[in-house]
Amino acid sequence: MDPILLRVKRQARPDAEPYWEEFKIPYRPGHNVHSLLMEVQLRPVRHDGTPTTPVVWDASCLEEVCGSCTMFVNGQVRQACSALVDSLARPIVLEPMKKFPVVRDLAVDRSRMFESLKRVRAWVPIDGTYDLGPGPRLTEATQQFAYALSRCMTCGCCLEACPQYNDHSAFIGPAAIGQAVLKNLHPSGPLTKEERTAELMGVGGIVDCGNAQNCVLVCPKEVPLTRAIGDMGRQATVKFFRDLFRG
Amino acid sequence: MAEQRHLVVGGGLAGLMTTIKICEAGGKVDLFSVVPVKRSHSVCAQGGINAAVNWKGEGDSPAAHFDDTIYGGDFLANQPPVKAMCDAGAAIIFLLDRMGVPFNRTPEGLLDFRRFGGTKHHRTAFAGATTGQQMLYALDEQVRRYEAQGQVRKFETWEFLGAILDDGGVCRGLTALDLRNMKVETFVGDTVALATGGPGIVFGRSTNSVVNTGTAASAAYQQGAFYANGEFIQVHPTAIPGEDKHRLISESVRGEGGRMWTVRDGKPWYFLEEMYPAYGNLVPRDIASRAVFKVVFEMGLGVDGENAVYLDVTHKDPEELTRRLGGVLEIYEKFKGADPRQVPMKVFPAMHYSMGGLWVDYDHMTNIPGLFAVGEVDYQYHGANRLGANSLLSCLFGGMIAGPKMLAYAKGVKRAAADAANAIVERERRRQEDVYERIYRMEGTENAYALWRELGEWMTQHVTVERYNKALKRTDDKIVELKDRWRRIGLNDRGRWLNQEVSFVKQLWNMLELARVITLGALARDESRGAHFKPEFPERDDARFLKTTKARWTSDGPTLSYEDVDVSMIKLRARKYDVDKSVSA
């Protein structure tokens, strides 16, 4: 097989101009994008023979459960670990995610996503970690829906694909809405549901969703994001009328 | 008295639980992690977490769990803390359930349990086949709640460099590298807990995450913390070999009825079921890995002439498989491009877990006062071999012990006067800065990543499933050679912003130090026990080696000493899985 041509969009610092570099990597079966970048670490030399620095990227689990190595591979946002070279068109083109600040090369800062989880209070407010006996009963169907939502690895693919999410909009995006629905679903959820729902009724909340439904298409974990957004919409409507008549 | 400060390093299950326990008691925590904590290696744990609740009416009990764990660990673990862990199992699972971990349910809405290796009971609670991920997320959310309340400050993308030790050898804080601006910073605290996971990356490719370099544990070891039982390395029998890592196929696949086989005389041969009729496919991992080696290397029966055997679930209902094992089958599908519901998976053993780690007392404190260790980085609970689904339990239990003990320790701690303390802190900052300045000046011809690959190949070949003294000696010589070549590394990147190569060069040195501990510990232990198997010494030798290995750092390499194991609760007996386990006296 021919060597693999790899084009990487690089950027030295957050405020630096991006530039492109090309690498040629000998073919071996079984490569993924991550292992190609490992080959660059071994021999950081550009295709034209000029020495360069190893490419910088985030990686951890390499099993598509941690979300770290998310980037654009041939124009598609996905995880580098599960991007198998044998199934990719060549040359292979790597770019950092576009809706998050670049830290260096392919590494970006996604802390905004974790801040969003704070905004929607995505936690169960337990009384304490001491032994309070068994937890609540749950139907298998509820557990299966909760599990599907809970597989969200905060990778940010849905935010990249969402036309409403960007640095000049307040829209919180599908991932955090999914987590709010998940927490409202928990048997103790109703106790704090109002707070979460209220947060998503405000600026940047549920009404900013344009219903493009791109999120669910790009989610690598098949998290039922559109169903979650629909559920949250209904919860918000119910709360709106309840508040209206209560007030 | 001034406010206590606690520093927790590592945001996986153990670090997060430690943090939660401190915050719950009103304490404040600075939490350090090389990755955003939600991306820690705990996400990789698939199969489940053990607790002997006996909800399947099989006569299970915490005592049976305790016995299975000690027996599975070939009697090398101190028994009192293991008993305490097994006793706490049910309460821990109930807590996780209350935190919202979406554990699988029975039709009645109760927690479901499945079987795992080394036991006859359905004892393992699970959330699909991504239990570690689900548990990590639940704890991450609890810590985020404390973060929102101002009790936790997170330092994500920071790397622990070392403890700050005063002249009396007491831990007074830590130094850490901000991986973005590459600056060394100091943090003063009354206690420091390392919850930094295992050293899988020392073996090159393993089932571990990229971040599991063991660098923090090695740094503490080089500052005088004992490293215990380093030679006990678990090789998981079923992984998918890969170019970048070996991906785990969870033991839960066998717990749900998966069978291992290869082709002999043109027919399927279910070798584990034949060799170990009492436990069959659910023998512990060390036993299964050795069986695969025997089948593939001694008998030449690898499938398709490859180093592989089959792991087969094609006889099971596909929908049931998706519900209970979806996450793990998806890994095989995504990375191998074949559906395990239709075709048997091809698997081979891979380095997976370190039973050894920093030596700790029953309060999880290392021999350095004020420095604690919790999770895979400690050596406490698994003896010579860990049973499946006990690691998540030990991470949480360890955190539940360590947090309160750190608070108690801090109450009694005497602080030095400010100027004396400042001098100690500045001394350590300069020491660490010097290390990095020397790395920035490296102008040799060696490539750090190439040295690491060489280390990994040697460690995997000679210090995993089968260990021969001659090969261990040669491996140690190789490590010493690699340390020499490390000094001749030529840096490709001299930048002062998110320079991953510079961090890696330092991590590599720490890996080499740990590699010697693992290799020399194995060389010295002339017996076979649990995961440590020497064909030249095939029997367990309790007279000489019913002892914890303790490695102490010197500039000439580790010196080993041995400590008696507390076996006061369960009597020693031979460990066999071809017949039913004899009842403990």
Side-chain angles (χ1 to χ4, degrees):
Chain A
M1 280 289 263
D2 295 336
I4 301 155
L5 192 63
L6 186 66
R7 295 193 71 216
V8 184
K9 190 177 188 183
R10 306 196 57 175
Q11 185 172 332
R13 301 179 73 95
D15 50 3
E17 280 300 306
Y19 59 98
W20 289 88
E21 281 190 343
E22 292 191 347
F23 302 93
K24 210 174 207 176
I25 291 153
Y27 177 81
R28 266 206 314 275
H31 266 308
N32 55 9
V33 165
H34 177 86
S35 67
L36 290 182
L37 292 171
M38 288 172 74
E39 294 296 313
V40 176
Q41 291 177 325
L42 278 181
R43 199 174 161 272
V45 177
R46 291 188 336 215
H47 176 30
D48 63 11
T50 327
T52 182
T53 54
V55 176
V56 170
W57 80 106
D58 282 329
S60 187
C61 80
L62 309 185
E63 295 176 4
E64 210 192 66
V65 281
C66 80
S68 294
C69 63
T70 310
M71 59 181 70
F72 277 86
V73 179
N74 289 350
Q76 269 189 310
V77 67
R78 59 186 299 183
Q79 282 71 48
C81 65
S82 56
L84 308 184
V85 165
D86 287 337
S87 63
L88 293 174
R90 305 212 202 140
I92 294 171
V93 182
L94 306 183
E95 296 164 87
M97 296 177 86
K98 294 164 188 175
K99 295 192 180 171
F100 301 95
V102 170
V103 181
R104 185 175 171 189
D105 293 347
L106 302 170
V108 298
D109 182 348
R110 282 171 280 181
S111 44
R112 185 176 165 189
M113 290 192 76
F114 298 112
E115 289 303 317
S116 297
L117 294 176
K118 274 188 211 159
R119 257 179 76 186
V120 298
R121 297 174 184 80
W123 50 74
V124 176
I126 57 166
D127 284 350
T129 59
Y130 25 89
D131 188 3
L132 295 173
R137 289 194 184 200
L138 221 58
T139 65
E140 266 186 288
T142 309
Q143 180 270 337
Q144 289 288 310
F145 182 44
Y147 179 70
L149 289 171
S150 189
R151 295 187 71 204
C152 170
M153 55 187 181
T154 327
C155 67
C157 285
C158 59
L159 303 179
E160 284 289 341
C162 173
Q164 305 300 113
Y165 182 90
N166 50 58
D167 57 8
H168 49 269
S169 108
F171 184 42
I172 195 163
I177 296 173
Q179 295 309 296
V181 171
L182 171 63
K183 295 307 156 197
N184 282 358
L185 195 64
H186 188 265
S188 70
L191 307 174
T192 43
K193 191 174 171 174
E194 296 275 305
E195 294 175 7
R196 279 185 213 102
T197 310
E199 177 66 36
L200 288 173
M201 288 165 78
V203 177
I206 197 87
V207 293
D208 288 8
C209 168
N211 204 21
Q213 309 207 2
N214 291 353
C215 51
V216 79
L217 296 177
V218 297
C219 176
K221 298 283 107 176
E222 296 170 18
V223 176
L225 293 165
T226 44
R227 180 178 162 192
I229 293 169
D231 279 10
M232 184 50 77
R234 273 188 296 282
Q235 291 176 25
T237 309
V238 169
K239 182 175 160 46
F240 174 79
F241 282 108
R242 213 186 310 123
D243 291 353
L244 194 68
F245 292 116
R246 212 184 268 157
Chain B
M1 200 184 121
E3 189 179 68
Q4 288 185 12
R5 288 188 75 183
H6 301 278
L7 313 179
V8 175
V9 185
L13 288 172
L16 295 182
M17 183 50 98
T18 305
T19 301
I20 290 168
K21 289 305 269 191
I22 294 171
C23 291
E24 189 171 76
K28 289 195 170 171
V29 173
D30 286 351
L31 178 59
F32 300 82
S33 172
V34 288
V35 290
V37 298
K38 201 176 176 180
R39 310 199 192 285
S40 302
H41 178 60
S42 301
V43 292
C44 287
Q46 298 170 355
I49 174 168
N50 285 333
V53 293
N54 194 34
W55 282 9
K56 301 282 182 190
E58 299 166 325
D60 199 8
S61 64
H65 183 193
F66 175 37
D67 191 74
D68 284 342
T69 302
I70 293 297
Y71 189 82
D74 226 347
F75 294 89
L76 194 65
N78 287 315
Q79 295 180 0
V82 177
K83 179 175 189 302
M85 173 180 81
C86 296
D87 287 344
I92 287 175
I93 290 185
F94 295 156
L95 166 63
L96 293 166
D97 193 24
R98 286 171 35 231
M99 284 180 181
V101 174
F103 284 120
N104 279 56
R105 301 282 156 166
T106 66
E108 203 179 324
L110 300 171
L111 298 179
D112 200 1
F113 289 82
R114 66 174 157 218
R115 273 192 68 193
F116 246 73
T119 181
K120 293 292 191 86
H121 298 113
H122 287 76
R123 183 185 288 156
T124 308
F126 58 101
T130 58
T131 313
Q133 181 194 34
Q134 297 307 311
M135 288 172 49
L136 182 77
Y137 290 1
L139 296 194
D140 171 64
E141 289 154 7
Q142 295 299 321
V143 169
R144 187 166 293 108
R145 181 181 170 205
Y146 286 117
E147 189 188 11
Q149 290 168 16
Q151 277 180 269
V152 172
R153 285 198 300 173
K154 277 188 192 150
F155 295 85
E156 294 175 322
T157 69
W158 285 68
E159 181 157 68
F160 171 86
L161 300 180
I164 297 172
L165 303 181
D166 68 16
D167 294 335
V170 175
C171 178
R172 299 294 187 179
L174 61 81
T175 52
L177 185 71
D178 180 338
L179 294 172
R180 291 194 178 162
N181 67 22
M182 305 303 287
K183 286 199 172 115
V184 174
E185 300 288 351
T186 58
F187 296 83
V188 173
D190 298 293
T191 67
V192 174
L194 295 184
T196 49
I201 299 304
V202 171
F203 290 77
R205 286 175 292 174
S206 72
T207 64
N208 285 198
S209 294
V210 174
V211 293
N212 297 138
T213 57
T215 190
S218 179
Y221 156 71
Q222 291 168 64
Q223 290 184 296
F226 295 132
Y227 198 89
N229 289 344
E231 66 268 32
F232 290 93
I233 295 293
Q234 179 167 82
V235 177
H236 197 291
T238 63
I240 328 167
E243 275 292 314
D244 51 343
K245 83 172 288 190
H246 302 319
R247 291 177 177 84
L248 178 70
I249 297 297
S250 167
E251 190 168 294
S252 56
V253 171
R254 283 173 288 138
E256 296 288 354
R259 303 172 78 186
M260 292 184 79
W261 59 280
T262 187
V263 181
R264 189 174 65 172
D265 304 329
K267 287 189 305 248
W269 176 39
Y270 297 93
F271 55 92
L272 286 178
E273 294 168 31
E274 189 176 306
M275 291 176 189
Y276 300 100
Y279 284 78
N281 292 291
L282 286 175
V283 289
R285 293 168 181 173
D286 57 324
I287 309 269
S289 289
R290 284 198 285 280
V292 174
F293 262 53
K294 185 173 172 169
V295 163
V296 170
F297 294 123
E298 265 180 54
M299 306 175 75
L301 292 176
V303 295
D304 301 336
E306 297 168 27
N307 290 345
V309 293
Y310 286 128
L311 172 58
D312 193 351
V313 290
T314 57
H315 55 290
K316 307 282 290 182
D317 170 37
E319 278 180 28
E320 183 78 354
L321 287 172
T322 301
R323 218 163 49 78
R324 300 172 75 92
L325 295 170
V328 62
L329 301 183
E330 179 184 294
I331 288 177
Y332 195 85
E333 263 181 308
K334 284 209 172 173
F335 290 94
K336 292 292 281 186
D339 180 0
R341 297 165 196 84
Q342 307 297 327
V343 293
M345 294 176 268
K346 277 191 195 176
V347 295
F348 195 68
M351 187 284 173
H352 181 54
Y353 186 88
S354 173
M355 276 69 72
L358 291 171
W359 181 91
V360 289
D361 62 18
Y362 294 174
D363 293 348
H364 277 273
M365 191 158 83
T366 68
N367 56 302
I368 296 176
L371 180 65
F372 292 71
V374 56
E376 188 176 342
V377 74
D378 79 45
Y379 90 112
Q380 188 86 291
Y381 299 99
H382 307 296
N385 173 64
R386 176 175 67 75
L387 290 189
N390 265 355
S391 61
L392 298 184
L393 182 62
S394 63
C395 283
L396 294 188
F397 180 72
M400 294 178 112
I401 298 295
K405 294 296 180 187
M406 289 162 72
L407 291 160
Y409 170 88
K411 264 188 197 156
V413 81
K414 283 198 189 68
R415 293 184 187 164
D419 49 345
N422 284 342
I424 290 158
V425 168
E426 283 313 306
R427 182 177 69 193
E428 185 61 17
R429 181 207 300 274
R430 275 196 304 279
R431 185 176 82 90
Q432 296 291 359
E433 282 174 350
D434 285 350
V435 170
Y436 281 96
E437 288 311 316
R438 281 199 301 277
I439 290 174
Y440 270 110
R441 288 195 296 271
M442 286 178 131
E443 283 186 348
T445 51
E446 298 280 0
N447 177 297
Y449 297 99
L451 294 184
W452 166 64
R453 288 194 185 201
E454 224 175 299
L455 171 70
E457 276 159 27
W458 276 79
M459 293 300 288
T460 300
Q461 195 177 345
H462 301 299
V463 203
T464 53
V465 176
E466 291 180 346
R467 293 154 168 199
Y468 292 90
N469 281 348
K470 229 164 104 181
L472 291 170
K473 183 73 193 65
R474 278 174 46 224
T475 305
D476 185 57
D477 292 343
K478 172 56 77 172
I479 300 167
V480 173
E481 177 205 307
L482 290 171
K483 286 178 80 173
D484 187 50
R485 286 162 62 194
W486 183 91
R487 295 173 210 283
R488 297 199 294 279
I489 285 173
L491 211 58
N492 296 296
D493 187 352
R494 293 177 202 283
R496 301 274 173 164
W497 180 257
L498 188 57
N499 187 327
Q500 293 177 333
E501 190 185 30
V502 161
S503 327
F504 187 77
V505 168
K506 172 73 191 303
Q507 291 162 4
L508 178 62
W509 178 265
N510 287 350
M511 283 190 249
L512 291 164
E513 290 280 357
L514 266 196
R516 290 201 79 192
V517 172
I518 295 165
T519 306
L520 291 174
L523 180 62
R525 187 177 278 273
D526 280 337
E527 65 159 352
S528 291
R529 181 188 298 272
H532 172 69
F533 176 62
K534 280 188 173 173
E536 298 158 305
F537 302 89
E539 301 299 323
R540 193 173 87 194
D541 184 349
D542 287 333
R544 288 180 66 203
F545 290 111
L546 180 58
K547 288 182 191 324
T548 299
T549 308
K550 288 168 86 172
R552 188 173 61 83
W553 183 87
T554 78
S555 55
D556 298 325
T559 33
L560 305 179
S561 61
Y562 294 90
E563 182 181 275
D564 286 340
V565 177
D566 183 339
V567 290
S568 58
M569 306 171 108
I570 295 176
K571 259 196 200 147
L572 292 171
R573 57 203 200 275
R575 175 183 187 249
K576 291 192 227 169
Y577 288 95
D578 51 343
V579 291
D580 281 338
K581 202 174 59 161
S582 58
V583 179
S584 158

